């Protein structure tokens, strides 16, 4: 009788957790950077290339979620697709520093445990997001920089490439045009915000990729990867590898990945501020993300945007720039890919 | 008549702003790190050395405020005293990395403008806090790392020293004891929190110096400087140079400098979380700082503490470790220096 009772109880527990699992809808949102992304600057061919690649990233991440994988793995899968494409300023497509090198940053965070990993200023790791993941999973640290981060990645068995892997004539020409322009202009916008209206200046600043996912268990994760700012000097680090600025994930509030003028995003602690507004002022993810991107950042002249999602799969994608490459999939719905306002 | 009217108006405005200036009390709070700081581990001589040096730091910063200087300059002056002393894990007293080098981090933030500067992993800059200040004042960036940051500091005319300046037999012995101990133990606490109870392990982790000040104009500033964690590897970056984690300042809420297990402090976005609780939940600086240090960090097993101050000079100094070197001066009061619980 007792055995029967426990058997019955066990069945209820199983059925209950199964029902809960079923009720948790999976979702994924990605971005490929914000900036002067306007219909009139884009050929049909370019437009299609971006659409296809964002779709591919969404599908790669979503497949992980569908199979019951974790949001961390889904975020990683989506970002890998974008890092391996020359279209975005991250991984293969990373822009050039002043010294004509490529210095990449990435970070990832698990919303269930608040475990996080980040790398800054790495030059020879094929996929910086995998290095950030390894820091999270296989070290006692959260952030590693430069040669030390590269040594760690190598010891972890990650793919190390010759820096020439990141070289690209178009990006090199872009760097040289910017250098030329900066020589003749003294319009240094500094920390007080951007002032350049030339698309070249904009595009160099706001390239980043990122993803936020929620899995069957209702766990959020977020990740961000970037080549930083074209023509950056002095080992500049932006917001992408900073937990709280470029990336944050916490089941109690939301997951966020940001893209924009990194200096302002760091000073505004953008990603965590959205989480804090949800936790402490009971704003929705949409209200919180808009408050930070459309008010606080606009006041600070911080151009860019974010993707943000709560554990119920509610998605916000506000940006205050001309456009932002972005897309999402929610369970039972068709993927959506957008670029312009 | 109109001239007289404007003259009168002008007098009122002057008198009004003078009165406001007079009513703004200046204040300064500093810390010299948290950890296994217990009366029974400390000789009278050691105790006096720490007391004297903290007093000296307080006086150096307070003099700046008394003369009408800015909170940024006061914070810098106080931190310089501690960086130039071998007693604290910052500047001259910076601990050793695994490779027997010294890699220092620092950051500073202006609560009026939210302008900020930080350096990470620098090895030859005598005073990392001055490099952070230079990044804030003389670059378009917020954070620079490694060789690039050193190049920038040199171009800015900051004092560059031979790395042997930071060498010290006691610290080197401490490193070797830790290495020896780690070889025989596999108690890697990882991101989930500390587990070591040996003071050697504690002391290596939580050394940092910091200061928060409010000036006559009611502007807050905060700064932090550290040698990081003894035996750190792989270009590890902790919370000290992270705006939002180790340092934050915003006139609308508070200034904060943190000291503790950096990895956990980064994941909890400690400094900005205190500011957010004040802004969004209307907590006092004491309530907000205690909420983060005594609840959130304790849950995450993040040992350490913070100093925090609002623009009215209300000061909080909570810590969840055995002790924290700390002290403050408020206008019209005697300086207070404390170490233990």
């Amino acid at each position: 009788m007792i055995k029967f009772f426990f058997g019955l109880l066990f069945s209820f527990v199983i059925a209950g957790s199964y029902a809960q699992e079923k009720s948790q809808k999976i979702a994924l949102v990605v971005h490929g950077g914000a900036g002067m992304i306007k219909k009139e600057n884009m050929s049909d061919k370019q437009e299609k290339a971006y659409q296809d690649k964002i779709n591919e990233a969404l599908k790669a991440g979503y497949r992980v979620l569908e199979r019951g994988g974790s949001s961390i793995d889904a975020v990683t899968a989506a970002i890998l697709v974008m890092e391996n494409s020359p279209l975005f300023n991250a991984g293969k497509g990373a822009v050039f520093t002043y010294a004509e090198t490529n210095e990449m940053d990435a970070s990832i965070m698990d919303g269930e445990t608040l475990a996080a990993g980040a790398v800054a200023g790495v030059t020879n790791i094929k996929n910086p997001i995998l290095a950030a993941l390894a820091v999270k999973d296989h070290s006692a640290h959260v952030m590693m920089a430069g040669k030390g981060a590269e040594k760690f990645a190598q010891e972890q068995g990650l793919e190390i490439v010759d820096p020439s892997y990141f070289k690209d004539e178009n990006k090199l020409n872009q760097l040289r045009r910017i250098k030329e322009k900066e020589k003749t202009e003294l319009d240094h916008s500094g920390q007080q915000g951007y002032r350049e209206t030339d698309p070249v200046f904009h595009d160099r600043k706001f390239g980043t990729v990122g993803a936020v996912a929620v899995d069957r268990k209702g766990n959020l994760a977020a990740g961000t990867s970037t080549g930083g700012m074209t023509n950056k000097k002095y080992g500049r680090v932006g917001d992408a590898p900073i937990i709280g600025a470029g990336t944050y994930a916490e089941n109690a509030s939301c997951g966020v990945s940001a893209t924009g003028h990194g200096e302002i995003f760091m000073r505004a602690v953008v990603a965590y501020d959205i989480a804090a507004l949800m936790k402490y002022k009971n704003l929705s993810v949409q209200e919180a993300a808009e408050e930070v991107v459309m008010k606080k950042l606009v006041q600070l002249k911080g151009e860019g945007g974010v993707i943000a999602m709560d554990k119920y799969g509610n998605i916000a994608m506000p940006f205050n720039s001309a456009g932002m490459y972005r897309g999402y999939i929610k369970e039972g719905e068709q993927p959506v890919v957008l670029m312009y306002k």
Side-chain angles (χ1 to χ4, degrees), chain A residues 33-166:
Chain A
M36 289 290 277
I37 302 157
K38 287 184 173 174
K39 183 90 183 160
E40 59 262 37
N41 299 335
M42 196 84 85
S43 72
D44 289 354
K45 202 178 145 190
Q46 281 177 312
E47 195 176 74
K48 187 170 182 319
Y50 280 101
Q51 263 169 343
D52 288 352
K53 195 50 78 174
I54 293 167
N55 252 315
E56 189 186 328
L58 284 171
K59 281 176 187 162
Y62 194 73
R63 261 198 304 275
V64 174
L65 298 172
E66 271 186 323
R67 291 174 186 160
S70 72
S71 49
I72 279 283
D73 288 342
V75 160
T76 306
I79 289 176
L80 279 175
V81 169
M82 294 188 281
E83 279 187 347
N84 290 339
S85 160
L87 291 176
F88 307 98
N89 178 15
K92 176 70 184 157
V95 298
F96 283 91
T97 67
Y98 178 80
E100 305 198 352
T101 59
N102 307 93
E103 287 178 9
M104 293 162 286
D105 307 326
S107 64
I108 194 160
M109 186 161 186
D110 180 334
E112 184 190 10
T113 60
L114 303 185
V119 292
V122 296
T123 61
N124 64 3
I125 301 170
K126 188 185 175 197
N127 290 109
I129 195 69
L130 294 180
L133 187 64
V135 171
K136 177 179 92 61
D137 289 342
H138 303 298
S139 87
H141 299 319
V142 166
M143 188 175 191
M144 298 181 185
K147 296 280 166 234
E150 292 171 358
K151 183 163 182 284
F152 176 77
Q154 189 154 24
E155 286 178 17
Q156 290 291 315
L158 299 186
E159 189 171 355
I160 304 298
V161 292
D162 188 273
S164 65
Y165 167 78
F166 303 103

Side-chain angles (χ1 to χ4, degrees), chain A residues 17 19 39 147 162 171 201 234 255 279 301-302:
Chain A
S17 69
K39 183 90 183 160
K147 296 280 166 234
D162 188 273
K171 286 183 297 169
F201 283 93
Y234 303 124
K279 286 192 290 185
K301 299 199 179 92

Side-chain angles (χ1 to χ4, degrees), chain A residues 186-190 192-198 201-202 205 261 301 303:
Chain A
L186 278 169
D187 178 18
H188 288 302
S189 53
Q192 299 315 310
Y194 57 89
R195 268 172 48 208
E196 308 93 340
T197 48
D198 184 324
F201 283 93
H202 273 81
K205 281 196 170 162
H261 189 158
K301 299 199 179 92
E303 191 171 338

